Amino acid sequence: MTRLRVADVAEGDELPPLTVRVTRADLVRYAGASGDFNPIHWNERIAREVGLPGVIAHGMLTMALANRLVSDWVGDPAAVIECAARFVRPIPVPDDDIGARLEIGGKVAEVSADGTAKVTMTVRVDGKQVLGRPTARVALG
Amino acid sequence: MPLDRSFIGRSYPPAPVYEVGREKIREFADAVGATSALHRDPEEARLAGYRDVVAPPTFAVILSASANSVVVDDPDLGIDYSRVVHGEQRFVHHRPITAGDRLVAAIHVDEIITKLGNDFLTVRAEITTEAGEPVTTVTAMLVARGKEES
C-alpha cells in the first residue's frame, strides 16, 4: 500500500474513471452507516410529499463515491487532506435492481511545491453533472 | 421570515465524546464502496504509519451532521427542517482520523444570508480530540427554502 509520489503526478493527468451503480439497498446501507435517516432517501411517499420526483441519493454518498476515485488513485485514503463539493442536482434512485448509474472522473488540476496536488472530479448521471466543483487536495508521498 | 443574522458568530458547546471504532470505519467504508485495506486491517495501517485503521475522507460527517442538529433544532433560530436541503460540504483534515480516536465537535455559525426568500446557513464543526488537538474542520452550507409565493 504506497502513496503516489510527486514525481509520478503531473498537471492534466486523468484519474482512472469509475462507474458506480447506486440502488435503494445502497441508500439504506449508507443511511445506517452515516446516521442520516432523512426519509427522502428511503421513503417514496415522503419524498414525493416534499416535491421530489421520488427517493433520491444522499448527496454525501455521492461525494464519498467521488472521493473513492481519488483514494483509489493515490493509493492511501488518508492522503486526501481536503475535499469539497456543492450539491447541484438530486439523483433519483428507482425502485428496481439496477439503480442509478454514476459516471465518475477526475483530473489533476495543480501540483504544488508543498507536495500536494489538487484534483477536480466530475460526477454525471444521464450525462448531467450532479456535483458542483467537486475537488480534493491530496498529500503526495 | 428570514433567519436572525444575530446568530452569526454563535458557538455551541461540544457534543459528547464520539469514540471511533474499527467496525464503524469498516461499515462506513463498505457503504461507500471504499476497498482499501487501510480501512480494515490494523496491521496494514500500522505498516503504512498509522496508529490503527484510517477513516474514509468523508467519515467525519457522522460527527458533524449530528452536532449540526443543535443549530438546526435551535428553537430560537426557528429553521423549518422539512425545507432544508444540503448545499455544500467541505472537509479539511488536520490529521487522519483513526480507530481509537476520542473526538468532540464544537459548532460555530459562520454565515447566514437570505437571498430571494431562501436562507443560506453556513455551519462549521471543529472536530478535535478530547485534549483539544485539531483533527478535522467540517463546513456545511444548508439551504432553508422559502415558502413558494402564491
Side-chain angles (χ1 to χ4, degrees), chain B residues 13-114:
Chain B
V17 172
Y18 180 92
E19 185 167 327
V20 180
R22 284 180 185 166
E23 293 304 332
K24 192 65 193 181
I25 287 179
R26 178 202 301 265
E27 181 190 359
F28 192 90
D30 283 345
V32 300
T35 55
S36 172
L38 298 178
H39 299 313
R40 296 178 170 80
D41 184 341
E43 211 41 56
E44 282 278 344
R46 280 187 206 111
L47 283 172
Y50 303 110
R51 204 183 49 176
D52 208 314
V53 292
V54 301
T58 63
F59 180 88
V61 74
I62 296 172
L63 282 88
S64 63
S66 89
N68 283 353
S69 64
V70 300
V71 182
V72 175
D73 297 341
D74 185 337
D76 295 335
L77 187 57
I79 293 179
D80 176 358
Y81 186 61
S82 71
R83 307 195 70 81
V84 170
V85 294
H86 199 168
E88 263 180 63
Q89 185 81 22
R90 171 180 296 274
F91 298 84
V92 177
H93 297 296
H94 310 296
R95 62 114 158 128
I97 295 176
T98 63
D101 278 337
R102 289 175 54 82
L103 303 176
V104 292
I107 297 297
H108 307 270
V109 177
D110 278 353
E111 187 60 282
I112 295 172
I113 296 172
T114 302

Side-chain angles (χ1 to χ4, degrees), chain A residues 1 3 26 29-30 32-36 38 50 59-61 63-65 67-68 71-72 75-88 135, chain B residues 24 27-28 30-39 44 48 50 54-58 61-62 81-82 84 86-94 96 145:
Chain A
M1 194 69 48
R3 247 184 228 209
D26 294 321
R29 185 176 296 117
Y30 183 78
S34 67
D36 182 347
N38 189 331
V50 299
M60 286 305 305
L61 171 58
M63 183 175 177
L65 293 170
N67 281 283
R68 173 180 148 196
S71 304
D72 287 352
D76 178 349
V80 178
I81 52 174
E82 276 184 48
C83 56
R86 292 186 303 141
F87 305 104
V88 295
T135 58
Chain B
K24 192 65 193 181
E27 181 190 359
F28 192 90
D30 283 345
V32 300
T35 55
S36 172
L38 298 178
H39 299 313
E44 282 278 344
Y50 303 110
V54 301
T58 63
V61 74
I62 296 172
Y81 186 61
S82 71
V84 170
H86 199 168
E88 263 180 63
Q89 185 81 22
R90 171 180 296 274
F91 298 84
V92 177
H93 297 296
H94 310 296
R145 291 173 297 153

